């Protein structure tokens, strides 16, 4: 393996150009090729006067022995087949979220990568933003205490997607972030989803996802394509402190509140006594300074590091798979009218030596 | 009936003093008495040097033939018995929200009032705020078009109540407002509730209520006692315009967005074609001026007017009953793990001449 | 001196009722009388069924030997004569801001009080708010380092006053706060004022006050009656940290920024070298929790304590005089077209034993 | 003149790359060359694999007969000499703000361009933002009525510049905007400037500029390099409506308030009577939708159009000169301790046929 890794970006649509720009700017990577059925579009992403090659053929691309890795930014339904072909050709693989269109497909990708000792990474971009990295650091460091609730809102006037509903389009962001910041990952007891399609678009344009967690905690996600106001806010309530992330407030993205309700331990003789032991903390608020770094730049760096160190990446295939498992459970819940659905733990992959001897 | 109506406030705890203050200041009313088992507390509300009498005895109070009406501000579990006693004594009745502790109790109150041709009014205070009155006016006037979704958030660091959960404590506000602003009232197809009790308080401290409406629309309510940030926001999405009510922004409480997604009618040959017919409106935003009036003052005026005109009040017992029906369905859903529960329409009261010949 | 001090409020207009309410609620005070030429208005403030007497005669009021103190809430032009009469009658005096209509009047009040060993206090209400008290604590404790600049904005749609311009109406707030929070008080090198009267109201409705301070620092005040948006914000920039007070943001009134520009000490060979030594700190932001207490309640407590302890009050006559000195200099600057005017330090009172042996 | 105009960007520092990017993307322009003494920096701006030439020699650049125009993005002190050389070579000229380092230099540039019938345009970028274009449209259309006051705040933690003070660095933005939106341009009666240098940087880091306008109106500008909070807000108060531009609120950049103070015309017998005739309008607020277009793209389009149509550009040399005149008056005021200084109208250029027969 040479100093600089060679990467190709597959898919020159909405997200591919962002990936290409960051691989091109990274000292770890050499952007070797852009692959898209629409070669004209691919050429625009490659740029004129560069040595980035352009091809419409996945086979041709993967036949290049000097290529170390591919980044897949095509529609979710195609991720599985492209990733398996790439893995078969010995390439490390980065996949745009969601990892795949089904949990079964995702599991097959994870298992194949593990067997081939190749890195399979999910592009959970938000997990590389300074705000989310700081949230993870604070939560893992115990600053918030036990997590009591997580409430995430991601609403905006959004493009009604042709192939997916609002859960599959937007909730991967929230789910991957929650999975990333919680010490044990996101492992809900059940999944309940309720959606609405008031425009008769043929799929949910508004979605609510409720995820009871262990120990009585709860996570809730509101995704919405029809809101004229844009809100991207996550509240993480803890037993010691509570954190609010407002992604649209660049001057104060994170606020840590030293406030909360403390419930006394003694409940002697009924309701009134219990009330008497409720107490409030109204402490200071603190907003940590965050560096101004681009998330995608950190993500491509992590991809290179995982490959070089022969280890799983931070947002690896397993993370993508956990998100997929919840999305699938959400779809089942939606079909059943919102009933609580258990994520199918039988779908958990047997992780045999993923990237262990790369 | 004399020019000025005589009222007694029953209950001198948290809400009673607010009612007393507004009845005292109203030209329609004469505050005659405060009734509370704790007569010292009652005396403080009555004030020194006034002719407001104080009593611990409900029987004594109701035996006063000159008393026209009572306002009940006691715990919800006592509403039914007190109201029935008052109605039996021929008094008009105003009840703090929620109307009663059970739908059956509420229905019995509504039916008793109707049979006695007395006014039974629910103190849904928010329905008398300038913001909510303007929302109702805009929606009833067709400014928003068809209602597609309603999303209401009411979260704050709140006192964990001894007798009720967060749904029964906070959601009556949201439900009564939605009931008030929708032309046909709030009649959800089903009710799904999911809560969490991460502090082990013995009841939900965090609650999510999902209410599918007719024609694919949806309403959703988030209530939370554990949030260090206070949010009171309702988004009402319509086919023509969308309205956002931010009750904590006194400089711009209401915003009407002339923005939205329009879905083309023609869907010829599949997904791509449908996408092509999605279009966006990104029009102006408009924030109507609102008068600075106190909601409770308008509420006591409406109570007097309903009595004098022998008509049902704006937020009558029926409104209180609809809210109760949803709260009860929410409790059933909660018990069943969040499943969709139908509100029990068999509980709808037979409205025989309520206040029709008062 | 008995346990409870007896106070009369003179002036039952806009501010008098607030003073009366707080004296009435204070355990330190007994509200004895309301004095106003309009006795009907005075009676409304006194309240029915109380033992608060009402009079239109200042002489009658001051002849009451049991009265310990008076609070003057009349137009500024009358402060001097009323205060002198009260001091002559041996009463301690609290005066609504501004202390007087001229510096000479104010100085005569201060000197008379000092000679009589009576407390003369200026009602600089904001100096008793939790936010301003915390600002003073932080600045006096050195948390901000050296003060580099203070920028205060107080704009709103305000009533055009008949007798004073916008400087005399609003700037006393800003000036008294700055005087209170700066360790040495507010002692500008010069005062420059520029105003505008675009409605032809006969006086400035918009005003800008620039106050160069010692060591190159500067304070600036913007007051405006014609702004449709309400802004009440003060930025206090220090060499270590900077503080922002946004009085209209109850959820985060104070923010302390650990950010700033550091200028290197070495300037070797010209401009480029100096640039190279500029560095930025982009540290955390911190928002201290503030208690929810009413400023006027703390103010009347301080008035009682100053009387009892025979000491000057926190916002004493001298503070009122410093504010007056700047307002007068501002008026002179305004007349001269905005030129820098020196505050007249010859007006500084000789403080001979003010309240020293009370 | 061919269809596509050929441009060179002179100066590859902070602003040059933005100009280069926009000229490159414009269908009106062909980016022909980048000129900078640091050819390595120039090459990076030119990009690899392109036909954009790179040179360190201004003479070489200007000797190219096929070049139609140059854009100057060098330090202000060099604008005059470069512009005169370019005009002498028959090139149209765009100059980064401020137009020049002195009014005399600016006037010489304007007169030279006029005599040569070449376009001299000042890059007042903000005048091409959708928000400022809408402000101009509303004000010129009479929506605000007579302009009563303009208050502009532009504060931020900013780089202390080696060669200019905060007035010359930041105020050109505010001044050029005000000049652009006022129907008659910005023609203050006098200019008063007060600054502060609390860090001992050798120049003002905080600046206040007060500009009395005709008819009692006033404009005021606050610029500040030392503020940890970033504020970019302009209030334009009119006799009919008032407009607030908050450039850091992308969701509501412009708000038009139908609120104000109306002063009655009759003032019969003194102060009280006048007060009685003050009235308030508290009407709706309206926020116009704004397109999401890049200002620089519109600016390079206007430059091309002015050249092709042989007319002065929207933000022409004269606009740059008016800004310079105020900056120079501000410097004189600053030297005199803040006194009101008249802009030197003798510096107004005699505009003989500027670009009249191009």
């Amino acid at each position: 393996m040479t100093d600089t890794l060679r990467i190709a970006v597959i898919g020159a649509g909405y997200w591919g150009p962002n990936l290409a720009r960051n691989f091109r700017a990274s000292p770890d990577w050499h952007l070797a090729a852009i692959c898209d059925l629409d070669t004209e579009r691919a050429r625009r992403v490659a740029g004129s006067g560069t040595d980035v090659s352009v091809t419409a053929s996945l086979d041709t691309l993967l036949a290049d022995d000097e290529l170390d890795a591919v980044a897949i930014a095509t529609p979710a339904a195609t991720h599985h087949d492209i990733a398996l072909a790439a893995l078969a050709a010995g390439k490390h693989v980065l996949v745009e979220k969601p990892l795949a269109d089904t949990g079964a497909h995702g599991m097959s990708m994870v298992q194949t990568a593990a067997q081939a000792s190749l890195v399979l990474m999910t592009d959970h971009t938000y997990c590389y933003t300074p705000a989310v990295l700081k949230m993870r650091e604070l939560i893992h460091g115990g600053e918030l205490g036990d997590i009591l609730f997580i409430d995430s809102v991601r609403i905006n006037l959004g493009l009604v997607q042709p192939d997916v509903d609002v859960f599959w389009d937007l909730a991967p962001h929230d789910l991957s972030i929650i999975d990333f910041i919680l010490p044990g990952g996101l492992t809900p007891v059940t999944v309940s989803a309720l959606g609405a399609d008031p425009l008769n678009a043929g799929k949910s344009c508004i979605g609510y996802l409720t995820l009871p967690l262990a120990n009585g905690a709860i996570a809730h996600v509101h995704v919405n394509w029809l809101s004229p106001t844009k809100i991207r806010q996550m509240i993480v309530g803890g037993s010691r402190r509570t954190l609010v992330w407002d992604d649209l407030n660049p001057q104060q993205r994170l606020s840590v509140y030293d406030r909360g309700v403390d419930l006394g331990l003694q409940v002697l003789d009924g309701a009134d006594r219990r009330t008497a032991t409720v107490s409030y903390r109204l402490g200071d608020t603190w907003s940590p300074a965050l560096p101004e770094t681009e998330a995608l730049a950190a993500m491509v760096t992590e991809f290179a590091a995982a490959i070089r160190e022969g280890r799983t990446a931070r947002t690896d295939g397993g993370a993508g798979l956990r998100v997929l498992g919840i999305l699938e459970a959400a779809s089942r819940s939606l079909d059943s009218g919102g009933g609580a659905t258990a994520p199918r733990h039988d779908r958990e992959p047997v992780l045999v030596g993923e990237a262990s001897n790369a």
Side-chain angles (χ1 to χ4, degrees), chain A residues 18 53 55 61 75 95 98 103 105 112 132 143 176 179 184 215 231 235 244 246 259 271 294 300 308 327 340 342 344:
Chain A
N18 291 325
S53 68
T55 176
L61 184 82
V95 189
H105 275 162
T112 304
V132 173
E143 294 288 327
S176 63
D179 182 66
N215 300 320
I231 303 180
I235 308 178
V244 177
D246 182 354
R259 299 186 196 167
E294 184 169 357
V300 304
R308 284 180 174 138
L327 290 173
R344 292 172 63 170

Side-chain angles (χ1 to χ4, degrees), chain A residues 18-42:
Chain A
N18 291 325
L19 291 172
R21 179 169 50 81
N22 277 277
F23 280 115
R24 196 196 304 261
S26 167
D28 292 314
W29 293 97
H30 179 81
L31 178 65
I34 307 291
C35 174
D36 196 293
L37 291 177
D38 181 342
T39 51
E40 186 48 48
R41 195 161 69 166

Side-chain angles (χ1 to χ4, degrees), chain A residues 278-315:
Chain A
V278 171
S279 61
Y280 290 79
R281 273 172 298 112
L282 288 169
D284 296 347
T285 304
W286 167 68
S287 176
L290 298 174
E292 288 286 337
T293 55
E294 184 169 357
L296 273 179
M299 200 269 291
V300 304
T301 300
E302 166 69 4
F303 187 31
I307 293 172
R308 284 180 174 138
E309 299 166 20
R311 59 165 173 85
T312 54
R314 233 182 194 182
T315 51

